[in-house]
């Protein structure tokens, strides 16, 4: 399969690896969501149904992005570790990408950490849209 000038060979092992990563991510998000709800309660990141814009009738915990972002980072680190072990061990089950270096991976995970921080700040203190946009523009620079 050609993709942007690259010739990719998709093996059964790669497909199984991706399916397993998705399954682990789904399970981990399911497990971390109650933790995020608990943290939201402790941090005061609760959405109260106090205006005409709210459609819920009972208070709702925020910080769902915390579970999703944490899952992304943990599964990403696990996938990278497994991929490197497979390559170091001589197995070709999971192809390594020579174009993605440690600096790019670190930038990706730092970007996720900053996005989680911005999301937490917004969920806790409900910042104005212009400040959210500014934070996202700064995040895009990472």
């Amino acid at each position: 399969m050609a993709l942007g000038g690259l010739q990719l060979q998709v093996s059964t092992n790669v497909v199984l690896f991706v399916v397993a990563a998705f399954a682990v991510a789904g399970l981990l998000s399911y497990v971390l969501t109650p933790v995020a709800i608990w943290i939201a309660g402790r941090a005061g990141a609760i959405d109260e149904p106090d205006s005409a814009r709210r459609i819920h009738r009972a208070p709702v915990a925020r910080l769902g992005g915390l579970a999703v972002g944490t899952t992304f980072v943990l599964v990403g680190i696990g996938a990278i570790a497994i991929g490197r072990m497979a390559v170091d061990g001589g197995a070709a089950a999971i192809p390594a990408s020579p174009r993605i270096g440690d600096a790019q991976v670190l930038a990706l995970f730092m970007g996720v950490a900053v996005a989680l921080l911005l999301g937490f700040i917004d969920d806790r203190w409900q910042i104005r849209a212009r400040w959210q946009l500014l934070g996202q523009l700064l995040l895009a620079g990472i």
Side-chain angles (χ1 to χ4, degrees), residues 1-8:
M1 169 175 41
L3 178 67
L6 295 175
Q7 191 65 23
L8 299 177

Side-chain angles (χ1 to χ4, degrees), residues 26-121:
L27 180 63
L28 193 55
S29 287
Y30 181 77
V31 169
L32 290 178
T33 297
V35 175
I37 291 170
W38 181 81
I39 292 171
R42 293 283 186 170
I46 303 294
D47 193 18
E48 299 287 341
D50 58 357
S51 72
R53 291 183 56 201
R54 307 292 193 247
I55 61 171
H56 53 275
R57 301 205 190 286
V60 174
R62 297 174 143 216
L63 295 183
L66 182 63
V68 174
T70 303
T71 295
F72 176 80
V73 171
L74 292 176
V75 171
I77 289 171
I80 290 168
I82 291 170
R84 287 187 176 172
M85 285 188 302
V87 170
D88 290 343
I94 304 159
S97 174
R99 295 179 182 221
I100 301 173
D102 290 342
Q104 290 87 2
V105 171
L106 180 61
L108 173 67
F109 290 147
M110 290 302 296
V112 171
V114 172
L116 287 173
L117 178 63
L118 290 172
F120 175 81
I121 291 169

